């Protein structure tokens, strides 16, 4: 169950909004320099948008649109809403750009028939389903960043589960937002630091208590290496997709994939 | 509740209620806690310079506690004091020398210069004083529990249905920020379905007050005798059972329990050890325990959900599958900015996610400092909602706003206490009697 809390500090004109249990994790947003009323109203819009997206893309919710597709697309063509259709086409595009390593079926996206004319789709084989886990947070983040820009927000820190971050403008006492990356295998050890300004950062990796959660759809094997990687770029969706995909790409694949994305920085750590 | 706000009586809670307007479900939450609707800074400001003229009956430790709070409220003037025990009356008079002193409360109520009375007397006096005050046309604030017997409770409830006067009982958890927010979290599904409740209140104290002369024993130690007290149930459990009703929005259908005098065999008549089980029709149960010869477990109100546990008394909650383990980078960032420091926000390698845990990590209902009642004081804890509910009552003395649901909650909780005592005395399962059910109750 999603729950929400918020607080406002007059001293720094700082609004903190938090949602728990959204898209499998927590969401936090720090808005700087807005008055209490405006920040509260904007937060309300953001909260509603996140809940809407959660409902659309949550495959564990039997009432979500993605669940409806997962339940019925093996039997017949299923019509898809305009927004989800655009998302799925975007996922297909990432699938191509990553040579099949980004795959929302976790198996083979090529085995899904898409009918552009009727905006419908069907799975060509059984035991298929969509999992937008490596995409949804990036998409939600991008929508929110657009919303923030529409509201002329200049300084804001957005954090999805401490692994997907967008930093707009700068910290109230600095010229950017600084993010440090900790070593999950060594408490307190810092691996690297990023200074972000109008940039997205996404991290993926294994940790002592959570290993082998990212699968290579081409080989069906899970990455169990002690590693962590960070992707910094302008687009939150690119960051989210790449941080997951590059976990299972080999050296040459990484280079070929990254060459297709401008101004994107990758940092890898083998721990 | 920040330390800065402690001295500004009740303003913290008023701002908190105003802030609910900024969160989704805030308005809906107020809809389920209607007694808070008018408890905002704006409503207080609307009073301008009007003052509620308040009289106190009972100037013992609890009465003096209220006096200290009342003296901090700009919308209050203490105009009269009444007690039959001169030492207490004199202490109270030094706190508010302008107030007129009385020893006969009925005489005091004849005064047209009193808007509301605050009753802080032994339980057996509640019913006659409340009924007399309402009859005299006064607004009434009375300590919990509602009354000593079920008949008296029903008489008060029935009278309240026919009066336009304000009636409050000091169920202060209804105005305690951590309870309000914690129960809001429960109602929005934070801990899943409520599957049980465990409430207890443990102290290690004889519950006695010093008696200057033997003939005053029953007057001063009224809590220990059945003709004047319902014992641990009416003095302590009433608050906690009220919370369970508030959380579940239902009333238990039956109760079973055992009560004994285990340790303090000093001539007292009320139990010093009680263990009860209240059962809702759904099968959900409240396990209630109170013992006053061991304080190891303190005082807690635990609401058990299938997804988590809300410990309202300590202001903490725990999730069965915690997706927030690890240090929160955003919390560190908030602290940094508060300290005007520009430093890095720690990020994790992978997202927070549900995982198997050996120990439950506490989460806090309220960010920042807040007050916890350790349950040890016989008078009242700091910032436990008592000053807020009293402030709300005094505001109501001016506006006439009746404070929806407060009487009903007090009635329901007191009935459960009295039924618990009956179950322990008769050593059998007691079902909630039909004749004492009111429309407010859902079983």
């Amino acid at each position: 169950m999603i729950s929400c809390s918020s607080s406002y500090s007059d001293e720094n004109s700082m609004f903190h909004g938090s949602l728990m249990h959204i898209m499998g994790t927590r969401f936090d947003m720090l808005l700087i320099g807005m008055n209490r009323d405006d920040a509260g109203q904007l937060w309300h819009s953001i909260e509603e948008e996140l809940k809407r997206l959660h409902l659309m893309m949550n495959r564990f919710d039997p009432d979500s649109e993605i669940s409806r597709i997962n339940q019925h697309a093996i039997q017949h063509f299923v019509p898809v809403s305009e927004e989800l259709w655009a998302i799925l086409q975007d996922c297909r595009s990432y699938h191509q750009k990553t040579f099949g390593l980004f795959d929302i079926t976790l198996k083979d996206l090529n085995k899904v028939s898409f009918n552009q004319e009727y905006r419908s789709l069907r799975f060509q084989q059984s035991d298929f389903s969509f999992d937008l886990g490596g995409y949804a947070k990036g998409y939600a983040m991008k929508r929110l960043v657009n919303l923030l820009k529409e509201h002329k927000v200049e300084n804001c820190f957005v954090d999805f589960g401490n692994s997907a971050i967008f930093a707009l403008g700068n910290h109230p006492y600095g010229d950017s937002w600084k993010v440090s990356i900790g070593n999950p295998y060594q408490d307190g050890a810092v691996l690297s630091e990023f200074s972000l300004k109008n940039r997205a950062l996404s991290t993926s990796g294994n940790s002592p208590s959570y290993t082998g959660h990212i699968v290579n759809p081409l080989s069906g094997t899970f990455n169990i290496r002690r590693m962590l990687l960070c992707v910094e770029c302008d687009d939150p969706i690119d960051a989210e997709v790449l941080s997951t995909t590059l976990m299972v790409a080999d050296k040459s694949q990484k280079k070929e994939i990254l060459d297709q994305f401008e101004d994107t920085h990758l940092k890898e750590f083998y721990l | 509740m920040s330390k800065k706000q402690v001295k500004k009586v009740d303003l913290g809670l008023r701002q908190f209620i105003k802030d609910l307007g900024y969160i989704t479900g805030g308005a809906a939450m107020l809809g389920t806690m209607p007694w808070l609707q008018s408890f905002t800074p704006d409503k207080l400001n609307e009073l301008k310079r009007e003052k509620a003229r308040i009289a106190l009956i009972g100037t013992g430790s609890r009465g003096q506690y209220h006096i200290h709070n009342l003296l901090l409220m700009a919308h209050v003037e203490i105009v009269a004091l009444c007690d039959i025990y001169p030492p207490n009356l004199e202490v109270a008079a030094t706190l508010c020398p302008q107030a007129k002193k009385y020893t006969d409360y009925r005489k005091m109520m004849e005064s047209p210069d009193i808007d509301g009375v605050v009753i802080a007397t032994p339980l057996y006096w509640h019913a006659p004083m409340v009924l007399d005050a309402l009859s005299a046309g006064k607004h009434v604030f009375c300590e919990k529990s509602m009354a000593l017997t079920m008949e008296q409770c029903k008489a008060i409830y029935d009278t309240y249905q026919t009066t336009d006067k304000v009636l409050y009982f000091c169920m202060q958890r209804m105005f305690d920020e951590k309870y309000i927010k914690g129960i809001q979290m429960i109602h929005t599904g934070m801990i899943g379905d409520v599957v049980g409740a465990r409430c207890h209140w443990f102290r290690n104290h004889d519950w006695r007050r010093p008696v200057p002369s033997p003939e005053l024993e029953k007057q001063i130690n009224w809590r220990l005798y059945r003709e004047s007290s319902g014992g641990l149930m009416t003095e302590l459990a009433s608050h906690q059972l009220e919370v369970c009703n508030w959380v579940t929005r239902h009333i238990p259908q039956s109760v079973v329990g055992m009560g004994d005098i285990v340790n303090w065999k000093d001539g007292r008549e009320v139990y010093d050890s009680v263990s009860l089980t209240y059962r809702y029709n759904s099968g959900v149960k409240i396990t209630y325990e109170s013992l006053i010869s061991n304080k190891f477990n303190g005082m807690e109100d635990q609401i058990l959900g299938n997804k988590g546990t809300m410990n309202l008394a300590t202001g903490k909650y725990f999730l069965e599958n915690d997706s927030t383990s690890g240090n929160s980078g955003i919390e560190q960032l908030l602290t940094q900015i508060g300290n005007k420091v520009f430093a890095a926000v720690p990020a994790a390698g992978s997202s927070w996610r549900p995982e198997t845990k050996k120990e439950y990590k506490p989460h806090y209902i309220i960010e920042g400092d807040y007050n916890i009642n350790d349950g040890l004081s016989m008078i009242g804890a700091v910032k436990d909602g008592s000053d807020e509910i009293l402030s709300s009552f005094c505001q109501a003395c001016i506006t006439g706003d009746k404070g929806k649901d407060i009487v009903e909650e007090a009635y329901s909780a007191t009935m459960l206490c009295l039924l618990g005592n009956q179950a322990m005395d008769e050593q059998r399962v007691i079902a909630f009697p039909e004749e004492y059910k009111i429309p407010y109750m859902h079983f």
Side-chain angles (χ1 to χ4, degrees):
Chain A
M1 177 67 75
I2 299 169
S3 61
C4 161
S5 63
S6 61
S7 62
Y8 187 81
S9 157
D10 287 316
E11 191 181 351
N12 294 294
S13 301
M14 177 171 69
F15 180 94
H16 172 217
S18 184
L19 283 169
M20 305 296 278
H21 304 282
I22 183 103
M23 296 187 176
T25 184
R26 67 180 280 178
F27 172 83
D28 288 278
M29 186 184 74
L30 224 55
L31 274 168
I32 307 292
M34 288 184 86
N35 69 45
R36 183 189 286 264
D37 288 349
D38 291 347
Q41 282 176 14
L42 177 56
W43 171 243
H44 180 72
S45 311
I46 284 172
E47 202 188 321
E48 292 302 309
E49 178 64 1
L50 283 174
K51 286 179 178 171
R52 186 185 71 81
L53 295 174
H54 175 89
L55 186 63
M56 182 171 72
M57 297 193 274
N58 181 7
R59 70 193 170 98
F60 297 108
D61 181 342
D63 295 327
S64 71
E65 185 175 1
I66 206 77
S67 291
R68 189 173 54 78
I69 294 170
N70 285 341
Q71 284 161 24
H72 301 297
I74 189 59
Q75 291 127 15
H76 51 76
F77 273 89
V78 178
V80 180
S81 71
E82 195 173 342
E83 184 176 10
L84 190 55
W85 184 261
I87 287 170
L88 296 174
Q89 299 315 308
D90 199 27
C91 290
R92 287 176 80 187
S93 166
Y94 280 115
H95 183 252
Q96 286 175 345
K97 283 183 178 176
T98 60
F99 315 111
L101 289 174
F102 175 76
D103 192 318
I104 55 171
T105 67
L106 307 181
K107 288 176 179 164
D108 188 356
L109 187 57
N110 292 321
K111 294 206 170 111
V112 180
S113 304
F114 288 91
N115 185 322
Q116 188 72 41
E117 188 181 353
Y118 293 102
R119 218 171 61 209
S120 61
L121 62 84
R122 181 173 185 171
F123 299 147
Q124 293 169 11
Q125 66 179 58
S126 59
D127 197 23
F128 244 53
S129 64
F130 286 142
D131 178 349
L132 292 170
Y135 179 91
K137 283 189 291 180
Y139 180 79
M141 187 77 95
K142 190 166 183 173
R143 300 269 309 178
L144 297 192
V145 171
N146 289 337
L147 203 59
L148 293 170
K149 288 177 178 169
E150 280 169 26
H151 283 77
K152 313 272 189 246
V153 174
E154 292 176 352
N155 302 305
C156 182
F157 188 83
V158 189
D159 180 353
F160 239 128
N162 229 7
S163 69
I165 286 163
F166 193 89
L168 189 62
N170 51 269
H171 186 288
Y173 302 103
D175 55 2
S176 65
W177 294 90
K178 285 197 288 197
V179 176
S180 66
I181 306 299
N183 182 344
Y185 295 91
Q186 194 181 337
D187 266 357
V190 173
L191 297 170
S192 183
E193 195 168 285
F194 290 84
S195 284
L196 304 175
K197 187 164 190 170
N198 306 323
R199 297 275 278 176
L201 177 72
S202 179
T203 64
S204 279
N206 287 320
S207 68
S209 60
Y210 197 49
T211 290
H213 57 103
I214 300 176
V215 67
N216 181 331
L218 302 178
S219 65
T221 57
F222 289 87
N223 181 334
I224 55 169
R225 292 189 69 174
R226 283 174 51 145
M227 67 177 288
L228 186 150
L229 60 80
C230 309
V231 175
E232 183 199 336
C233 59
D234 289 340
D235 187 318
I237 304 180
D238 286 352
E240 185 71 6
V241 167
L242 290 177
S243 72
T244 309
T245 306
L246 297 179
M247 277 289 286
V248 292
D250 63 30
K251 197 172 175 182
S252 65
Q253 285 171 328
K254 276 177 194 156
K255 184 173 183 320
E256 286 182 60
I257 291 168
L258 284 170
D259 282 348
Q260 300 175 70
F261 294 86
E262 284 182 6
D263 201 13
T264 297
H265 300 304
L266 167 70
K267 279 191 184 177
E268 296 175 88
F269 306 95
Y270 294 90
L271 309 166
Chain B
M1 190 78 49
S2 82
K3 282 176 182 165
K4 278 184 263 182
Q5 291 169 328
V6 167
K7 286 186 181 170
K8 291 182 187 173
V9 69
D10 81 36
L11 286 180
L13 182 63
R14 285 180 187 270
Q15 184 61 43
F16 167 72
I17 292 178
K18 186 181 179 190
D19 288 347
L20 288 175
Y22 297 106
I23 64 169
T24 299
M29 191 213 94
L30 278 183
T32 65
M33 303 180 187
W35 59 89
L36 298 173
Q37 293 274 11
S38 59
F39 198 68
T40 62
D42 302 338
K43 286 281 180 187
L44 191 61
N45 289 336
E46 281 172 22
L47 301 181
K48 299 192 175 117
R49 292 174 183 276
E50 284 186 81
K51 287 182 188 290
R53 297 169 303 174
I54 299 297
L56 268 101
I57 310 175
T59 56
S61 54
R62 185 66 179 174
Q64 289 171 29
Y65 171 94
H66 286 317
I67 288 172
H68 284 289
N69 284 331
L70 288 165
L71 289 172
L72 293 171
M73 296 176 199
H75 59 298
V76 174
E77 181 184 4
I78 301 174
V79 295
L81 301 166
C82 179
D83 207 309
I84 54 171
Y85 188 56
N88 285 346
L89 187 59
E90 288 312 312
V91 173
T94 60
L95 293 172
C96 26
Q98 77 290 355
K100 199 169 173 186
K101 290 186 286 184
Y102 291 89
T103 53
D104 181 343
Y105 79 88
R106 291 185 180 88
K107 184 82 181 160
M108 183 181 82
M109 284 176 191
E110 289 172 5
S111 167
D113 301 324
I114 295 170
D115 300 315
V117 295
V118 172
I119 299 170
T121 57
L123 181 63
Y124 69 114
W125 276 109
H126 287 188
M129 287 176 171
V130 167
L131 293 170
D132 285 342
L134 290 175
S135 166
K138 309 299 183 195
H139 301 299
V140 181
F141 177 99
C142 182
E143 267 302 325
K144 59 85 194 120
S145 288
M146 186 179 253
L148 182 62
T149 68
M150 296 185 217
E151 294 83 355
Q152 289 174 336
C153 290
K154 190 64 169 40
I156 291 173
Y157 173 80
D158 289 341
T159 301
Y160 180 63
Q161 304 310 305
T162 64
T163 178
D164 62 350
K165 294 296 155 194
V166 173
L167 177 58
Y168 272 50
F169 288 90
C170 194
M171 308 305 296
Q172 64 260 31
R173 281 163 167 74
M174 296 172 81
F175 284 75
D176 185 326
E177 189 174 333
K178 60 184 181 296
Y179 281 83
I180 293 166
K181 196 164 182 192
I183 291 175
Q184 175 212 1
M185 288 172 167
I186 295 170
H187 287 169
T188 56
M190 170 76 86
I191 60 166
D193 296 331
V194 173
V195 293
R198 293 183 66 186
C199 301
H200 54 251
W201 201 320
F202 293 101
R203 289 172 170 167
N204 196 344
H205 188 273
D206 64 5
W207 219 14
R208 283 188 167 278
R209 300 287 171 92
V211 179
S213 145
E215 72 273 12
L216 293 172
E217 163 65 11
K218 289 201 169 180
Q219 187 180 325
I220 289 175
N221 284 314
W222 58 270
R223 289 179 183 82
L224 308 182
Y225 301 96
R226 289 189 171 219
E227 65 192 29
S228 50
S229 166
L232 297 174
M233 298 309 293
T234 52
E235 294 308 304
L236 302 181
S238 54
H239 291 299
Q240 299 171 285
L241 295 173
E242 188 276 323
V243 165
C244 295
N245 295 339
W246 180 8
V247 166
T248 60
R249 298 156 165 157
H250 281 77
I251 305 293
Q253 174 60 37
S254 60
V255 54
V256 63
M258 283 189 261
D260 297 277
I261 300 174
V262 171
N263 187 69
W264 301 107
K265 296 176 180 176
D266 55 3
R268 73 184 59 203
E269 296 167 359
V270 300
Y271 304 129
D272 67 358
S273 163
V274 298
S275 297
L276 304 101
T277 301
Y278 289 86
R279 185 178 184 279
Y280 293 91
N281 271 338
S282 62
V284 170
K285 297 170 199 70
I286 307 168
T287 305
Y288 187 82
E289 250 188 305
S290 185
L291 184 67
I292 51 171
S293 49
N294 176 298
K295 64 179 188 309
F296 180 79
N297 288 292
M299 186 269 287
E300 292 188 313
D301 302 332
Q302 296 177 1
I303 307 301
L304 314 179
N306 62 352
K307 292 181 181 169
T309 300
M310 186 71 69
N311 196 335
L312 291 158
T314 59
K316 295 176 188 170
Y317 63 93
F318 307 83
L319 299 173
E320 295 284 302
N321 292 302
D322 200 333
S323 63
T324 63
S325 58
N327 293 323
S328 161
I330 207 82
E331 282 156 17
Q332 294 187 34
L333 178 57
L334 286 168
T335 306
Q336 288 167 14
I337 295 175
N339 294 330
K340 299 185 169 34
V341 171
F342 177 44
V345 187
S350 52
S351 295
W352 281 314
R353 70 230 158 257
E355 62 182 20
T356 308
K357 292 166 51 52
K358 289 179 182 170
E359 288 186 6
Y360 285 77
K361 178 192 169 203
H363 300 272
Y364 294 88
I365 295 173
I366 296 173
E367 290 177 11
D369 296 339
Y370 61 93
N371 290 283
I372 297 172
N373 178 4
D374 60 13
L376 298 180
S377 170
M378 289 172 64
I379 302 166
V382 177
K383 298 301 288 179
D384 66 349
S386 295
D387 54 350
E388 283 90 350
I389 191 171
L390 188 56
S391 172
S392 178
F393 165 72
C394 294
Q395 176 181 318
C397 286
I398 299 168
T399 64
D401 182 346
K402 287 188 82 174
K404 197 167 181 308
D405 293 355
I406 293 174
V407 170
E408 288 79 359
E409 285 288 310
Y411 175 84
S412 304
T414 306
M415 289 301 296
L416 292 181
C417 295
L418 299 174
L419 290 169
N421 274 340
Q422 186 185 348
M424 291 187 287
D425 292 345
E426 298 178 10
Q427 296 199 14
R428 65 183 180 92
V429 179
I430 301 289
F432 202 105
E434 288 298 322
E435 64 269 31
Y436 291 117
K437 291 182 178 176
I438 59 172
Y440 180 75
M441 295 175 170
H442 300 285
F443 289 89

